[in-house]
Amino acid sequence: MSDDGRHGLTIIAFLGSVFSPYYAWSGWRDPLDHCAVNVVLYGSPGRWAMTERRRRSVIRDARSLAIGPSSLEWDGTALRIRVAEVTAPLPSRLTGTITVRPEGMTPGPFTLDAEGRHRWWPLAPASRIEVALERPSLRWQGHAYFDTNDGDGPLEESFRSWTWSRSSLRRGAAILYDVLRRDGTRQNLSLRFDPDGTPRPIEPPIPAALPPTLWRLPRATRSDDGAAAVLRRFEDAPFYSRSLLSARICGEPVQPVHEALDLDRFRHPLVRLMLPFRMPRAAT
């Protein structure tokens, strides 16, 4: 999010795109044949890009990853992302450079399911970001979050749904992660991170209701006083939402970035048929 609150940005590099209908239709056989860099720009102008690419378009080593014309490189202190994508469903160029500078790094990952098949590592919950886009022409700075996920099977086999939020605090950040597993058990991760990345478990805040999305997707969050509100809608899909909220976490008034995911909806065949309109697959 930009410091002035006008702009937002999400970038996800997928090695095995977990939401890819093409990957699912292939029988989940070859993750590297279903890779993508998802870039979403919120505010004015807004943009969406997520072109799936084949194995031969992926180059990677210990410090860098290239998927088609876009790339990410870690230099030891910052993550530099070069974006060169085409938006969908209306085609336009989305190009530029984004630099993420972590304030501190966390010690290791968390396991989300009982079998240990899915892992989440909030590498740098408190970071700074510098955005320098060429197309569209846009420059800003703000606060950011940097994580990684990996798993040994489809998400929908292990989970039914989850809600997640990340709040920027005066010192560090807070993350709330409520997971409903496929077997009906739940996991709650309520964490506060110091600026240097040190995690500190906190008492889970009080559940707070949120209105359903335009697709009638149910969602909820947590807040110190059990109250929260939706400030802006970023993403509204049949199975997923991303929003900017107002709430109170760790005694501070905050504006969390929040997501809700319903994997029962995602696995529905009609939903998967809708996805190629936003997620084209490159021929080469």
Side-chain angles (χ1 to χ4, degrees):
M1 294 295 300
S2 62
D3 288 328
D4 62 10
R6 295 174 56 198
H7 305 285
L9 178 70
T10 297
I11 301 175
I12 308 175
F14 288 97
L15 292 175
S17 179
V18 292
F19 301 119
S20 165
Y22 316 101
Y23 192 15
W25 294 332
S26 77
W28 310 104
R29 285 195 297 268
D30 184 359
L32 286 183
D33 207 40
H34 302 275
C35 297
V37 176
N38 178 212
V39 186
V40 193
L41 183 63
Y42 305 113
S44 182
R47 297 288 190 274
W48 165 282
M50 188 173 177
T51 300
E52 185 170 308
R53 303 184 188 278
R54 299 176 185 272
R55 170 184 282 272
R56 56 181 169 270
S57 297
V58 180
I59 302 172
R60 58 178 178 158
D61 58 29
R63 287 181 173 267
S64 65
L65 169 66
I67 301 176
S70 296
S71 62
L72 303 85
E73 184 174 5
W74 175 252
D75 68 3
T77 61
L79 179 69
R80 289 185 171 81
I81 307 166
R82 176 64 185 174
V83 170
E85 298 290 330
V86 175
T87 62
L90 299 177
S92 65
R93 295 287 178 179
L94 180 53
T95 62
T97 303
I98 299 95
T99 304
V100 180
R101 301 184 187 278
E103 294 180 1
M105 305 294 282
T106 63
F110 296 84
T111 299
L112 298 178
D113 63 316
E115 295 78 22
R117 302 179 70 206
H118 296 274
R119 296 155 296 274
W120 165 66
W121 189 347
L123 288 161
S127 302
R128 294 294 297 172
I129 188 172
E130 302 160 10
V131 176
L133 295 182
E134 299 152 5
R135 289 184 287 184
S137 179
L138 186 63
R139 289 178 175 267
W140 52 265
Q141 297 183 10
H143 59 89
Y145 161 81
F146 174 25
D147 77 355
T148 183
N149 299 267
D150 69 286
D152 301 319
L155 290 176
E156 59 269 31
E157 289 184 0
S158 298
F159 308 105
R160 290 178 58 189
S161 63
W162 70 56
T163 61
W164 174 96
S165 70
R166 178 261 182 192
S167 303
S168 181
L169 302 176
R170 285 190 290 268
R171 295 190 72 257
I175 296 177
L176 308 177
Y177 208 159
D178 283 296
V179 176
L180 176 58
R181 297 165 174 162
R182 180 59 59 188
D183 63 7
T185 62
R186 293 181 178 271
Q187 177 169 347
N188 170 264
L189 292 168
S190 297
L191 302 163
R192 178 173 187 159
F193 295 88
D194 293 343
D196 65 0
T198 301
R200 302 187 185 278
I202 60 174
E203 188 69 23
I206 301 169
L210 295 172
T213 68
L214 296 177
W215 284 95
R216 310 307 297 171
L217 180 71
R219 54 184 173 171
T221 189
R222 292 178 180 269
S223 182
D224 288 354
D225 55 6
V230 178
L231 298 179
R232 292 174 65 183
R233 185 179 72 248
F234 290 147
E235 296 289 343
D236 193 344
F239 64 94
Y240 179 81
S241 76
R242 184 180 291 132
S243 311
L244 185 70
L245 308 182
S246 67
R248 192 169 186 85
I249 303 293
C250 296
E252 300 182 24
V254 293
Q255 293 189 357
V257 175
H258 175 273
E259 72 173 23
L261 174 67
D262 188 322
L263 289 158
D264 287 340
R265 285 194 179 193
F266 168 69
R267 73 196 310 186
H268 194 285
L270 289 179
V271 171
R272 284 201 165 126
L273 286 173
M274 297 168 65
L275 293 176
F277 293 99
R278 299 293 299 275
M279 299 161 54
R281 181 166 166 84
T284 59

